[in-house]
Amino acid sequence: MKSSRAAVWGVNALLALLALLALFPLLWMLSVSLMPLGSASTFPPPLLPVHPTLANYRALFVGADLGRYLLNSLIVSGGITLGSLACNVLAGYAFAKLRYAGRERTFNLLLGALVIPTQVAMMPLFLLARELHIVNSYAGVILPSLASIFGIYLVRQYARAIPTEMLEAARIDGASEFRIFARVVLPLLKPIILTLTILTFLTAWNDFMWPLIVLTGSSHYTLPIALASLARQHNQDVEMLMAGSMVTVVPVLVLFLLLQRYYIQGLLLGSVKG
Amino acid sequence: MKSNQTLAAWVFTGPALIVIGLFFLVPVLLALGLSFTDFDIYALASLKNVQFVGLDNYLTVLRMGLFWKALGNTLYFVVVGVPLSIGAALGAALLVHSRLARWKGFFRTALFTPVVANIIAVAVIWKYLFQQQYGIVNYVLGWFGVQPIDWLGNPHMAMPTIIFFALWKNFGYAMVIVLAGLQAIPDELYEAARLDGASTWRQVRHITLPMLGPTLMTVGLLTMVGYFQLFAEPYVMTEGGPLQSTLSVLYLMYNQGFDWWNLGLASAIAFTLFVFTLAATFLLVRVGRRKGWV
C-alpha cells in the first residue's frame, strides 16, 4: 500500500495536536498550582513557574481545611464503593443464575427505571433524608448510592456466562447457595468486580449535584463541593484554586491510569444495550 | 432445591432492591405526588401547610418565561453540543484507529483523560483559560490578530463557550465506544474495497460509516440524555449568567428547589424536563429505525 510519508506525518501530527489540546489544561493546572499567589495573572500568561512553590498547597491544607475534604471524599467514595459492590454483585448474580418466580418481572422493572433521570427523585429524597436525620452527614451521601441499577446490570451480563452445570454440581454436593456464591461464583466474577470497583469509585468521587444538595454545611463537604465553593469565594486566587483542582483530580486520575483496561471495559459493556 | 434458590435469590437481591426502592423508586413516585402540591418553605416547617393544587405547578412552569429561557438554552446545548461531540469522537476514533497512527495506546489514553478528570476542577481550569484579560485562549488568538473576547461574560458567547468545554470534556467517552465499533468491522470488507481500488475516503464513506451506524446511534443517545442534564458546567463557570444565557432547566430546578425551597414547583420542572428528554429520545430512535440503526 502506498501510505505516503506525508500521510503518516499528517495523521500523527493531528493526533499529537488533539492530545495536546486534551492534556494542556491539566498540565497548566499543575504548573499554575506551583506559582506564587498572584503571579499567573500577568500578561503574557506565564506557562511555567519561575519560582516553584508549594505554598498554595500549604495554604489550602492549613488554612482551608482541604485535608478534611480529602478525607471526606475518601470516606464517602470508599463507603459507596464497598457497599454497592456487595449489593450489586449479589443481586447481579441472582438475576443472572438463580431460578425463581418473579425474577424477570423484577429485573425488567429495574431496567425500565433506568430511563428516569436521578434528579427527578432529589426533592423527595431530600425530605426523606431530613426525616432520617442524615442531612449533612456521610450517610446522606452514601445511602442513596449503595446500589445501582447499572451496576446490577453489568454484573448480570457478565455472570450469565457462568456455566449452570458448575452450580448444579456444587448443589448436588450439598453446598448451600451462599457457599456456592462465595466459593464458586465470586472467583469467576473477579474481572467484573474490578471493573465495577473503579467505575463506582470514580463516579462517587466525581458526583456533584446530590452531595451539593444534601451537604448543607462545610464540615462534610467532599472535594468537588469544597472546590466549587472555594472557586466562588476566591475568584482572584487562580494559583490556589489550581492547587485545589490538583488534589481533586489527581487521586482518581492515578487510579484510572492504573486500572484503565478495566475501566474502559466497563464503559463498553455498559453501552452495548444503551 | 427450587425453594432454596428462591429464598437465596430474595436474600441476595434484597439489599439492592431495598436501597433502590427506598432511595430511588419511592422518591420518584413521591416526586410525582409532590409536583401536584404547593410544597414550599412553609411546608418544610410543618406539613399542615401543604395543599393539593392539581396541575397548577405545571401551568406555572409553562407560563414561566424563565422556564422557556432555560429550556431554550438546554436545547441549544443539546442540539449543537451532541453532533459536535459525536463528530469529534468519530474523527478522533478514525485517527487513532488508522493504520498510519503510531503510539495508539498513548493517544487513546491522552484523549480519554478529560473524561475522568473531575468536572468541577476542569470547569475551574477552563474558566481561567477563557479569562478575558490574562487567559491563554485570548493570548493564543492574539497571535492571529483576534481582539480579546469576553468568552464567559458575553451573553452571546457564554453558551458556545460552555459547549466547547463540554466537547473537550466528553468526546473521549464516545471515542472509546466508537473505537470498539471500528475494531469490530471485519478487515475483509476493506481488503475487498482496496482490491476494487476504492480510496480511503470512499472506504470510510461506504464501509466504515454504515457499519458504525448502530454504535453512533447508541453513543448519540447516551450523550444526548446526559446533555439534557446540564448543570455543573454553568454552576461553576457562569452561575447561569450572564443575563441567564446559560441557565439550564436543571439549574432552574435546583434554584427553585434548594435556593427557594419551592419543592413542589421544582418537582414539576423535573418531570417536564423528563418528558422533553423522553420525547427527544423517541424522535432520535425513530430516525435511527428508518435508517436501520436500532
mmCIF file of all heavy atoms in Angstrom, chain B residues 150-178:
data_model
loop_
_atom_site.group_PDB
_atom_site.id
_atom_site.type_symbol
_atom_site.label_atom_id
_atom_site.label_comp_id
_atom_site.label_asym_id
_atom_site.label_seq_id
_atom_site.Cartn_x
_atom_site.Cartn_y
_atom_site.Cartn_z
ATOM 1 N N ASP B 150 -14.624 38.300 25.517
ATOM 2 C CA ASP B 150 -15.123 38.045 26.868
ATOM 3 C C ASP B 150 -15.972 36.772 26.826
ATOM 4 O O ASP B 150 -17.189 36.812 26.815
ATOM 5 C CB ASP B 150 -15.961 39.241 27.340
ATOM 6 C CG ASP B 150 -16.288 39.129 28.816
ATOM 7 O OD1 ASP B 150 -15.781 38.196 29.466
ATOM 8 O OD2 ASP B 150 -17.043 39.980 29.309
ATOM 9 N N TRP B 151 -15.285 35.620 26.799
ATOM 10 C CA TRP B 151 -15.938 34.348 26.494
ATOM 11 C C TRP B 151 -17.133 34.059 27.391
ATOM 12 O O TRP B 151 -18.215 33.723 26.920
ATOM 13 C CB TRP B 151 -14.940 33.196 26.619
ATOM 14 C CG TRP B 151 -13.838 33.294 25.614
ATOM 15 C CD1 TRP B 151 -12.584 33.785 25.823
ATOM 16 C CD2 TRP B 151 -13.900 32.931 24.230
ATOM 17 N NE1 TRP B 151 -11.849 33.741 24.669
ATOM 18 C CE2 TRP B 151 -12.633 33.213 23.676
ATOM 19 C CE3 TRP B 151 -14.894 32.386 23.414
ATOM 20 C CZ2 TRP B 151 -12.339 32.981 22.334
ATOM 21 C CZ3 TRP B 151 -14.599 32.140 22.080
ATOM 22 C CH2 TRP B 151 -13.338 32.442 21.558
ATOM 23 N N LEU B 152 -16.912 34.153 28.722
ATOM 24 C CA LEU B 152 -17.981 33.743 29.638
ATOM 25 C C LEU B 152 -18.803 34.928 30.130
ATOM 26 O O LEU B 152 -19.819 34.755 30.792
ATOM 27 C CB LEU B 152 -17.376 32.988 30.831
ATOM 28 C CG LEU B 152 -16.814 31.612 30.446
ATOM 29 C CD1 LEU B 152 -15.905 31.062 31.540
ATOM 30 C CD2 LEU B 152 -17.953 30.626 30.159
ATOM 31 N N GLY B 153 -18.381 36.160 29.776
ATOM 32 C CA GLY B 153 -19.096 37.335 30.275
ATOM 33 C C GLY B 153 -20.030 37.942 29.253
ATOM 34 O O GLY B 153 -20.794 38.851 29.566
ATOM 35 N N ASN B 154 -19.975 37.449 28.029
ATOM 36 C CA ASN B 154 -20.836 37.984 26.971
ATOM 37 C C ASN B 154 -21.994 37.017 26.756
ATOM 38 O O ASN B 154 -21.771 35.830 26.508
ATOM 39 C CB ASN B 154 -19.978 38.126 25.702
ATOM 40 C CG ASN B 154 -20.792 38.553 24.496
ATOM 41 O OD1 ASN B 154 -21.988 38.274 24.399
ATOM 42 N ND2 ASN B 154 -20.154 39.226 23.573
ATOM 43 N N PRO B 155 -23.238 37.518 26.865
ATOM 44 C CA PRO B 155 -24.398 36.618 26.778
ATOM 45 C C PRO B 155 -24.461 35.831 25.463
ATOM 46 O O PRO B 155 -25.066 34.759 25.429
ATOM 47 C CB PRO B 155 -25.604 37.541 26.911
ATOM 48 C CG PRO B 155 -25.093 38.879 27.234
ATOM 49 C CD PRO B 155 -23.611 38.903 27.146
ATOM 50 N N HIS B 156 -23.850 36.330 24.414
ATOM 51 C CA HIS B 156 -23.896 35.574 23.151
ATOM 52 C C HIS B 156 -22.785 34.533 23.069
ATOM 53 O O HIS B 156 -22.871 33.583 22.300
ATOM 54 C CB HIS B 156 -23.793 36.521 21.954
ATOM 55 C CG HIS B 156 -24.926 37.479 21.889
ATOM 56 N ND1 HIS B 156 -26.208 37.086 21.604
ATOM 57 C CD2 HIS B 156 -24.979 38.816 22.113
ATOM 58 C CE1 HIS B 156 -27.005 38.139 21.649
ATOM 59 N NE2 HIS B 156 -26.289 39.205 21.958
ATOM 60 N N MET B 157 -21.730 34.752 23.839
ATOM 61 C CA MET B 157 -20.585 33.840 23.764
ATOM 62 C C MET B 157 -20.605 32.756 24.837
ATOM 63 O O MET B 157 -19.973 31.713 24.674
ATOM 64 C CB MET B 157 -19.276 34.639 23.911
ATOM 65 C CG MET B 157 -18.894 35.511 22.728
ATOM 66 S SD MET B 157 -18.991 34.636 21.170
ATOM 67 C CE MET B 157 -17.753 33.366 21.441
ATOM 68 N N ALA B 158 -21.312 33.005 25.955
ATOM 69 C CA ALA B 158 -21.179 32.114 27.112
ATOM 70 C C ALA B 158 -21.612 30.682 26.781
ATOM 71 O O ALA B 158 -20.899 29.731 27.104
ATOM 72 C CB ALA B 158 -21.987 32.662 28.289
ATOM 73 N N MET B 159 -22.772 30.523 26.134
ATOM 74 C CA MET B 159 -23.226 29.153 25.844
ATOM 75 C C MET B 159 -22.315 28.446 24.847
ATOM 76 O O MET B 159 -21.924 27.293 25.077
ATOM 77 C CB MET B 159 -24.692 29.157 25.378
ATOM 78 C CG MET B 159 -25.278 27.758 25.243
ATOM 79 S SD MET B 159 -25.058 26.709 26.713
ATOM 80 C CE MET B 159 -26.625 26.904 27.521
ATOM 81 N N PRO B 160 -21.908 29.099 23.732
ATOM 82 C CA PRO B 160 -20.936 28.435 22.855
ATOM 83 C C PRO B 160 -19.663 28.037 23.596
ATOM 84 O O PRO B 160 -19.105 26.963 23.328
ATOM 85 C CB PRO B 160 -20.638 29.502 21.793
ATOM 86 C CG PRO B 160 -21.854 30.346 21.759
ATOM 87 C CD PRO B 160 -22.409 30.351 23.155
ATOM 88 N N THR B 161 -19.224 28.865 24.538
ATOM 89 C CA THR B 161 -18.019 28.531 25.292
ATOM 90 C C THR B 161 -18.241 27.285 26.139
ATOM 91 O O THR B 161 -17.386 26.400 26.210
ATOM 92 C CB THR B 161 -17.607 29.719 26.189
ATOM 93 O OG1 THR B 161 -17.506 30.878 25.378
ATOM 94 C CG2 THR B 161 -16.279 29.456 26.865
ATOM 95 N N ILE B 162 -19.417 27.221 26.776
ATOM 96 C CA ILE B 162 -19.721 26.035 27.589
ATOM 97 C C ILE B 162 -19.857 24.797 26.704
ATOM 98 O O ILE B 162 -19.441 23.701 27.073
ATOM 99 C CB ILE B 162 -20.991 26.293 28.444
ATOM 100 C CG1 ILE B 162 -20.612 27.217 29.599
ATOM 101 C CG2 ILE B 162 -21.578 24.982 28.964
ATOM 102 C CD1 ILE B 162 -21.701 27.478 30.583
ATOM 103 N N ILE B 163 -20.389 24.971 25.499
ATOM 104 C CA ILE B 163 -20.476 23.840 24.572
ATOM 105 C C ILE B 163 -19.068 23.349 24.208
ATOM 106 O O ILE B 163 -18.797 22.150 24.199
ATOM 107 C CB ILE B 163 -21.262 24.231 23.297
ATOM 108 C CG1 ILE B 163 -22.734 24.429 23.658
ATOM 109 C CG2 ILE B 163 -21.112 23.167 22.213
ATOM 110 C CD1 ILE B 163 -23.583 24.948 22.518
ATOM 111 N N PHE B 164 -18.162 24.299 23.951
ATOM 112 C CA PHE B 164 -16.792 23.896 23.645
ATOM 113 C C PHE B 164 -16.190 23.127 24.817
ATOM 114 O O PHE B 164 -15.551 22.088 24.646
ATOM 115 C CB PHE B 164 -15.915 25.116 23.316
ATOM 116 C CG PHE B 164 -14.465 24.754 23.143
ATOM 117 C CD1 PHE B 164 -13.994 24.298 21.925
ATOM 118 C CD2 PHE B 164 -13.582 24.823 24.211
ATOM 119 C CE1 PHE B 164 -12.672 23.926 21.769
ATOM 120 C CE2 PHE B 164 -12.257 24.444 24.073
ATOM 121 C CZ PHE B 164 -11.797 24.001 22.840
ATOM 122 N N PHE B 165 -16.426 23.647 26.023
ATOM 123 C CA PHE B 165 -15.906 22.981 27.215
ATOM 124 C C PHE B 165 -16.453 21.559 27.323
ATOM 125 O O PHE B 165 -15.709 20.601 27.556
ATOM 126 C CB PHE B 165 -16.272 23.783 28.471
ATOM 127 C CG PHE B 165 -16.035 23.021 29.744
ATOM 128 C CD1 PHE B 165 -14.750 22.786 30.201
ATOM 129 C CD2 PHE B 165 -17.103 22.501 30.462
ATOM 130 C CE1 PHE B 165 -14.531 22.062 31.364
ATOM 131 C CE2 PHE B 165 -16.889 21.780 31.624
ATOM 132 C CZ PHE B 165 -15.607 21.555 32.070
ATOM 133 N N ALA B 166 -17.764 21.394 27.117
ATOM 134 C CA ALA B 166 -18.380 20.066 27.219
ATOM 135 C C ALA B 166 -17.818 19.136 26.146
ATOM 136 O O ALA B 166 -17.595 17.948 26.381
ATOM 137 C CB ALA B 166 -19.898 20.174 27.084
ATOM 138 N N LEU B 167 -17.572 19.701 24.956
ATOM 139 C CA LEU B 167 -16.968 18.922 23.872
ATOM 140 C C LEU B 167 -15.609 18.392 24.313
ATOM 141 O O LEU B 167 -15.307 17.202 24.187
ATOM 142 C CB LEU B 167 -16.847 19.827 22.640
ATOM 143 C CG LEU B 167 -16.084 19.302 21.442
ATOM 144 C CD1 LEU B 167 -16.864 18.174 20.812
ATOM 145 C CD2 LEU B 167 -15.878 20.405 20.415
ATOM 146 N N TRP B 168 -14.791 19.294 24.847
ATOM 147 C CA TRP B 168 -13.457 18.900 25.326
ATOM 148 C C TRP B 168 -13.552 17.824 26.391
ATOM 149 O O TRP B 168 -12.827 16.842 26.384
ATOM 150 C CB TRP B 168 -12.733 20.135 25.881
ATOM 151 C CG TRP B 168 -11.414 19.823 26.525
ATOM 152 C CD1 TRP B 168 -10.212 19.708 25.889
ATOM 153 C CD2 TRP B 168 -11.165 19.561 27.908
ATOM 154 N NE1 TRP B 168 -9.232 19.401 26.801
ATOM 155 C CE2 TRP B 168 -9.789 19.299 28.050
ATOM 156 C CE3 TRP B 168 -11.977 19.523 29.047
ATOM 157 C CZ2 TRP B 168 -9.194 19.010 29.277
ATOM 158 C CZ3 TRP B 168 -11.396 19.226 30.269
ATOM 159 C CH2 TRP B 168 -10.009 18.976 30.379
ATOM 160 N N LYS B 169 -14.505 18.003 27.307
ATOM 161 C CA LYS B 169 -14.619 17.092 28.453
ATOM 162 C C LYS B 169 -15.136 15.714 28.035
ATOM 163 O O LYS B 169 -14.729 14.702 28.585
ATOM 164 C CB LYS B 169 -15.573 17.719 29.475
ATOM 165 C CG LYS B 169 -15.975 16.846 30.652
ATOM 166 C CD LYS B 169 -15.003 16.994 31.800
ATOM 167 C CE LYS B 169 -15.445 16.230 33.032
ATOM 168 N NZ LYS B 169 -15.103 14.811 32.992
ATOM 169 N N ASN B 170 -16.048 15.647 27.056
ATOM 170 C CA ASN B 170 -16.819 14.423 26.839
ATOM 171 C C ASN B 170 -16.493 13.621 25.588
ATOM 172 O O ASN B 170 -16.896 12.475 25.489
ATOM 173 C CB ASN B 170 -18.317 14.746 26.823
ATOM 174 C CG ASN B 170 -18.783 15.304 28.144
ATOM 175 O OD1 ASN B 170 -18.461 14.766 29.196
ATOM 176 N ND2 ASN B 170 -19.503 16.412 28.100
ATOM 177 N N PHE B 171 -15.804 14.213 24.606
ATOM 178 C CA PHE B 171 -15.699 13.485 23.331
ATOM 179 C C PHE B 171 -14.937 12.172 23.492
ATOM 180 O O PHE B 171 -15.188 11.208 22.777
ATOM 181 C CB PHE B 171 -15.105 14.366 22.225
ATOM 182 C CG PHE B 171 -13.599 14.359 22.197
ATOM 183 C CD1 PHE B 171 -12.919 13.524 21.323
ATOM 184 C CD2 PHE B 171 -12.879 15.179 23.031
ATOM 185 C CE1 PHE B 171 -11.538 13.517 21.291
ATOM 186 C CE2 PHE B 171 -11.500 15.182 23.010
ATOM 187 C CZ PHE B 171 -10.826 14.341 22.148
ATOM 188 N N GLY B 172 -14.034 12.103 24.476
ATOM 189 C CA GLY B 172 -13.246 10.887 24.674
ATOM 190 C C GLY B 172 -14.110 9.680 25.021
ATOM 191 O O GLY B 172 -13.788 8.546 24.643
ATOM 192 N N TYR B 173 -15.189 9.937 25.727
ATOM 193 C CA TYR B 173 -16.095 8.849 26.111
ATOM 194 C C TYR B 173 -16.696 8.189 24.869
ATOM 195 O O TYR B 173 -16.609 6.972 24.684
ATOM 196 C CB TYR B 173 -17.200 9.418 27.012
ATOM 197 C CG TYR B 173 -18.351 8.498 27.238
ATOM 198 C CD1 TYR B 173 -18.220 7.407 28.098
ATOM 199 C CD2 TYR B 173 -19.567 8.686 26.599
ATOM 200 C CE1 TYR B 173 -19.278 6.541 28.310
ATOM 201 C CE2 TYR B 173 -20.623 7.832 26.806
ATOM 202 C CZ TYR B 173 -20.477 6.766 27.658
ATOM 203 O OH TYR B 173 -21.522 5.903 27.861
ATOM 204 N N ALA B 174 -17.260 9.021 23.989
ATOM 205 C CA ALA B 174 -17.838 8.472 22.760
ATOM 206 C C ALA B 174 -16.746 7.871 21.878
ATOM 207 O O ALA B 174 -16.961 6.849 21.221
ATOM 208 C CB ALA B 174 -18.608 9.556 22.013
ATOM 209 N N MET B 175 -15.560 8.494 21.912
ATOM 210 C CA MET B 175 -14.461 7.999 21.072
ATOM 211 C C MET B 175 -14.102 6.551 21.404
ATOM 212 O O MET B 175 -13.903 5.729 20.510
ATOM 213 C CB MET B 175 -13.230 8.884 21.260
ATOM 214 C CG MET B 175 -12.019 8.408 20.481
ATOM 215 S SD MET B 175 -10.477 9.169 21.014
ATOM 216 C CE MET B 175 -10.148 8.256 22.516
ATOM 217 N N VAL B 176 -14.034 6.246 22.707
ATOM 218 C CA VAL B 176 -13.655 4.896 23.120
ATOM 219 C C VAL B 176 -14.681 3.877 22.630
ATOM 220 O O VAL B 176 -14.339 2.791 22.163
ATOM 221 C CB VAL B 176 -13.495 4.854 24.655
ATOM 222 C CG1 VAL B 176 -13.543 3.437 25.168
ATOM 223 C CG2 VAL B 176 -12.193 5.516 25.052
ATOM 224 N N ILE B 177 -15.963 4.257 22.702
ATOM 225 C CA ILE B 177 -17.003 3.328 22.253
ATOM 226 C C ILE B 177 -16.967 3.179 20.733
ATOM 227 O O ILE B 177 -17.096 2.083 20.196
ATOM 228 C CB ILE B 177 -18.375 3.805 22.753
ATOM 229 C CG1 ILE B 177 -18.385 3.758 24.285
ATOM 230 C CG2 ILE B 177 -19.495 2.943 22.186
ATOM 231 C CD1 ILE B 177 -19.569 4.412 24.917
ATOM 232 N N VAL B 178 -16.747 4.300 20.028
ATOM 233 C CA VAL B 178 -16.649 4.227 18.567
ATOM 234 C C VAL B 178 -15.432 3.396 18.152
ATOM 235 O O VAL B 178 -15.497 2.616 17.198
ATOM 236 C CB VAL B 178 -16.586 5.645 17.952
ATOM 237 C CG1 VAL B 178 -16.326 5.574 16.459
ATOM 238 C CG2 VAL B 178 -17.882 6.398 18.216
#
